[in-house]
Amino acid sequence: MQCVLCITECESWQGGVGVACRRPGTSRMVGDSRLAWPDILVMCGYFLSVLGVGVWSSRKGQGSTMSGYFLASRNMNWVLVGGSLFASNIGSGHFIGLAGAGAASGVAAHGYEQGAIYGLLLLGWVFVPVYMSAGVYTMPEYLKMRYGGHRIRVTLTCLSLVLYIFTKIAVDLYAGALFIQQAMNQTSQGALYGSVAVLLAVAAVFTIAGGLTTVVYTDLLQTILMVVGALVLAGMSFHAVGGYSNLVENFPYAMPTVVSLDAHNQTCGRPSPYYMNLLRPIDSENHDYPWLGMTFGMAVLQVWYWCTDQVIVQRTLASRSMLHAKGGTILAAYLKFLPLWIMTFPGMAARILYPDRVACATAEQCMAVCGSERGCTNSAYVELVLNLLPAGLRGLMLAVMMAALMSSLTSVFNSASTVVSVDIWRLLRTNGPSWCRGSPSEIEMIVVGRISVVLLVVASVIWIPVIQTSTNTELFNYINTIIAALCSPICALFVLALFCPRVNEQGAFWGLVTGLVVGTGRFLAEFSYAVPPCGSDKPDLRPAFIKNVVGRIHYMHFALLCWWMTALMAYSVSLVTKPIPAERLYRLTFWSRRDPRVRLAKEPSSIQGQDKQPSRGDMENPSSPDQDRNQDTKGVWWWQAVLRVCGSSGAAETEGQGKRAAADLTDEEKAQRAADFLKEPPYWKRVVNINAVICLTLSTFVYGFYA
């Protein structure tokens, strides 16, 4: 039964555990949030700047070759790599979700960002050396080379595309739509779809026009814009609440005027008593962010996201050397200290400044404020931007949000096009029906990748209504619940691939199937039934099993359990089946990453020899057995039209073929080149290693300070 109470600024009310009251003078009135002409000018300046950088970088990049389009010709320096890693990760979903989580429960959600530092360093020092020496474009391609067969590669490819839509594109579109809707003071669906469609179109143009080179350069510009704009708003937020000490002191008292009680007679939306702790007891009041899950379960999610996800790993694969790959991960790791100060703490400040809007505790009030009866904490950052900043700066922060959205979308689009071209189209062309069988050319692969971007854009726009009706109160919970359910088996397969040579294809496949079956069951149980909002009169329709078993196992604990189930099944099946010979694993495991010997193919008919010893030279200049077919189609008008629309030319391909013929190497030379690529200058190797130790030390200190 719902119980509604009114709280004035000067009276306190004892409700359950602790005091739920509002201290005098901690809230602010909501001002005029309409955009003024200075805001419009700033936004126009932003879009012109990004367009200029995009056009310049697309002309600079070699979009006519696979390596140029998908891996920026493997010539990115550490600044570009680090900036792109940060921008690819920090989308508009971070600004909305992390600030919203801070407004709802304090600093605990920053554990995801702090743990990312460990994941980034694992990427640079453990995983990337193996990927580089193996010479791969995509993560499914690596598993194909490591385990053999096609079923793991196809399964992972399809799952990756699904995850892109549900956890990346969907989240960023929802967050961007929420921001645009409130910033423009427009609530119509037409205005919402129009704004999102324009953003998707611009992001897709950048990706289609220049590939990863354009994405990386625009990411660097937008990283600078994001950091500067977010720092300005963070400073104004701290000033508005009276500084850090007042923020910490007033946060537990930031309650709305009207509150409701839950079934246990506790105040709905009351901040956790552990609001300044990253690690909380397993049996805490709301069972949120338990220390076991946020330590060991978090490790599973961090390894999956930072070390095996195509969107992230592709940035490091574009590095010109191992030194630049490590330098890029270190730069991104340093930048990951910022979200606590530019997102989480401002979200907590928004609850103090606007408690009736950000911390609304009744379904009716929340519906009136943000259109969601489950709460409005996701609007915390939006409230700060629209009500705290003056004209001009408001436009700057709107541009920052658009920069975050654009960076995330362009990164996802480019990575998805790579996966489609390399792991689906090439497999279909080499192993499909006889009428389409043949070796795809470079230009054909690039065209398919660019067309796939268009299809992703269409799918994203269609998904917008589902996003609006399916998101939870805290966006970060929505993201990580899905990741924990579906990505733990993937993480287990990659860890076993690197560190356990005994695991073979049969064990890896059945381990993956076991983990996905269990994870999908959890996913369906989690999202098939909606939990009634706190204080609502609606009945809880969840079956007893889901309520008492699934509902009591935190998703971080489930991620850890699912990882161990997958790993044990994979290793057990591998022990009773034939092992992979050692000569087929050279430079495919962490232990053999520097081995210069020629790797034998796992299958007689490997795709373009990729299972042999593909070096970085191979990936930049792959052989194309169907050159005669390409010459035959060179004069066909419709093929030339397709190439021009996609920004390529037959001349570029012919020139590339000439370079390939001049760069032919023996298998032994290719293997030696792949192993030598991991060598680093001693002085700079010490520099990056020292910075890695500094990052780990600072991150551990932050964990200890807020533990």
Side-chain angles (χ1 to χ4, degrees), residues 85-215:
L85 283 171
F86 184 75
S88 301
N89 170 243
I90 302 294
S92 56
H94 261 71
F95 282 95
I96 298 296
L98 196 56
S105 57
V107 303
H110 179 68
Y112 296 112
E113 303 304 298
Q114 207 62 43
I117 295 174
Y118 301 94
L120 278 163
L121 297 182
L122 279 175
L123 171 65
W125 268 258
V126 176
F127 285 82
V128 168
V130 178
Y131 300 151
M132 288 289 198
S133 61
V136 295
Y137 278 106
T138 69
M139 297 301 95
E141 184 183 18
Y142 168 73
L143 290 184
K144 163 67 172 61
M145 295 172 64
R146 166 61 178 85
Y147 292 119
H150 296 298
R151 50 185 182 177
I152 295 178
R153 181 180 187 176
V154 172
T155 302
L156 182 58
T157 299
C158 297
L159 181 60
S160 297
L161 294 175
V162 171
L163 288 172
Y164 287 160
I165 296 176
F166 284 101
T167 65
K168 297 182 185 296
I169 301 176
V171 170
D172 281 321
L173 284 180
Y174 168 75
L178 178 65
F179 195 93
I180 294 173
Q181 207 170 15
Q182 297 193 25
M184 300 300 181
N185 202 21
Q186 297 286 334
T187 58
S188 67
Q189 294 295 308
L192 175 67
Y193 291 135
S195 301
V196 172
V198 169
L199 292 171
L200 284 170
V202 176
V205 166
F206 287 153
T207 308
I208 293 175
L212 188 59
T213 301
T214 301
V215 171

Side-chain angles (χ1 to χ4, degrees), residues 37-119:
W37 66 266
D39 302 319
I40 305 299
L41 288 179
V42 172
M43 293 171 59
C44 291
Y46 156 73
F47 278 107
L48 289 176
S49 299
V50 173
L51 282 172
V53 172
V55 171
W56 171 78
S57 58
S58 65
R59 294 174 63 88
K60 177 183 176 68
Q62 300 177 15
S64 301
T65 64
M66 287 179 62
S67 179
Y69 182 73
F70 294 127
L71 294 180
S73 300
R74 297 187 187 257
N75 196 35
M76 295 293 108
N77 61 46
W78 64 275
V79 176
L80 293 173
V81 172
S84 186
L85 283 171
F86 184 75
S88 301
N89 170 243
I90 302 294
S92 56
H94 261 71
F95 282 95
I96 298 296
L98 196 56
S105 57
V107 303
H110 179 68
Y112 296 112
E113 303 304 298
Q114 207 62 43
I117 295 174
Y118 301 94

Side-chain angles (χ1 to χ4, degrees), residues 196-266:
V196 172
V198 169
L199 292 171
L200 284 170
V202 176
V205 166
F206 287 153
T207 308
I208 293 175
L212 188 59
T213 301
T214 301
V215 171
V216 169
Y217 276 96
T218 54
D219 277 353
L220 179 62
L221 171 65
Q222 292 169 156
T223 296
I224 297 172
L225 186 60
M226 279 191 288
V227 172
V228 172
L231 285 173
V232 170
L233 182 59
M236 299 188 70
S237 301
F238 277 109
H239 176 74
V241 298
Y244 176 82
S245 59
N246 284 345
L247 173 73
V248 175
E249 183 179 359
N250 291 328
F251 182 77
Y253 301 99
M255 293 296 295
T257 304
V258 180
V259 300
S260 59
L261 302 180
D262 60 16
H264 302 287
N265 204 36
Q266 303 293 314

Side-chain angles (χ1 to χ4, degrees), residues 276-298:
M276 290 302 292
N277 297 108
L278 287 173
L279 305 177
R280 300 176 179 181
I282 296 178
D283 57 349
S284 62
E285 177 184 340
N286 298 321
H287 303 286
D288 59 343
Y289 309 105
W291 71 266
L292 182 64
M294 293 297 289
T295 303
F296 299 102
M298 171 75 73

